[in-house]
Amino acid sequence: MAFELQAIAEAAVNAVLARLDIDGEDVEVAVLACNDTRIAKLNADFREKPTVTNVLSWPAAELGAQIDGEMPHAPMPDYSGALELGDIAISYDTCMAEATAAGKTAQDHVMHLMIHGTLHLLGYDHMRDQDATLMETLEVEILEKMGIDDPYYSPSAD
């Protein structure tokens, strides 16, 4: 692998928590690195979509906002003080192919997907228009702070 997934995952989670002003001292996120076969099976089992995808996430709690474009609810620690956010699965095969096709480094692309997955764990989504705008704005802002270009910008769109 051209990058260290654990270091990227930790940096992504910490960057998201810092941006959202959430205490990240005792946060738990489980990350599964897998191939396209495994992620397609997970996608079929949990989302009834038997297709390959780059990242999946399973929030430990439902935090999503009821109204399109509103901030999700704040996560609450458990009785021990730990803040269990949930699980993220990421496909190495798809990430590498997407990074290559987009002319991005694997590390930058995986960082974006880990930030994206972490935001999902915190109740952000992109199913409704204003929610998508909120989520993408946060992703771009966090990535920019990390010195990574806007993943949604396309020079051909100018």
Side-chain angles (χ1 to χ4, degrees):
M1 251 189 222
F3 54 84
E4 176 59 42
L5 183 58
Q6 182 173 344
I8 292 173
E10 288 176 8
V13 170
N14 289 333
V16 170
L17 296 175
R19 169 54 185 88
L20 298 175
D21 199 27
I22 297 171
D23 181 9
E25 187 168 327
D26 202 7
V27 171
E28 297 175 17
V29 174
V31 178
L32 170 67
C34 60
N35 61 20
D36 279 350
T37 303
R38 180 69 176 131
I39 208 153
K41 173 90 169 91
L42 291 168
N43 207 14
D45 290 349
F46 291 97
R47 297 179 64 224
E48 298 180 3
K49 295 182 178 185
T51 57
V52 172
T53 189
N54 49 21
V55 66
L56 292 170
S57 51
W58 295 268
E62 176 54 51
L63 302 171
Q66 295 299 314
I67 299 172
D68 188 11
E70 283 193 355
M71 296 291 286
H73 304 286
M76 300 300 292
D78 66 16
Y79 66 92
S80 71
L83 185 59
E84 184 180 334
L85 296 183
D87 305 330
I88 297 173
I90 189 161
S91 173
Y92 178 82
D93 300 336
T94 296
C95 288
M96 295 308 98
E98 289 175 346
T100 300
K104 300 175 182 178
T105 68
Q107 183 166 332
D108 286 357
H109 188 54
V110 170
M111 182 66 76
H112 172 222
L113 294 175
M114 290 303 303
I115 289 169
H116 183 88
T118 302
L119 287 169
H120 275 309
L121 296 182
L122 291 165
Y124 292 85
D125 209 337
H126 43 81
M127 299 303 289
R128 302 177 297 193
D129 290 344
Q130 291 178 39
D131 289 342
T133 299
L134 176 61
M135 186 173 182
E136 289 177 13
T137 299
L138 284 169
E139 288 174 25
V140 169
E141 184 182 313
I142 293 164
L143 288 165
E144 183 179 280
K145 262 193 165 171
M146 301 176 98
I148 298 173
D149 292 335
D150 179 348
Y152 299 106
Y153 172 75
S154 173
S156 60
D158 288 343

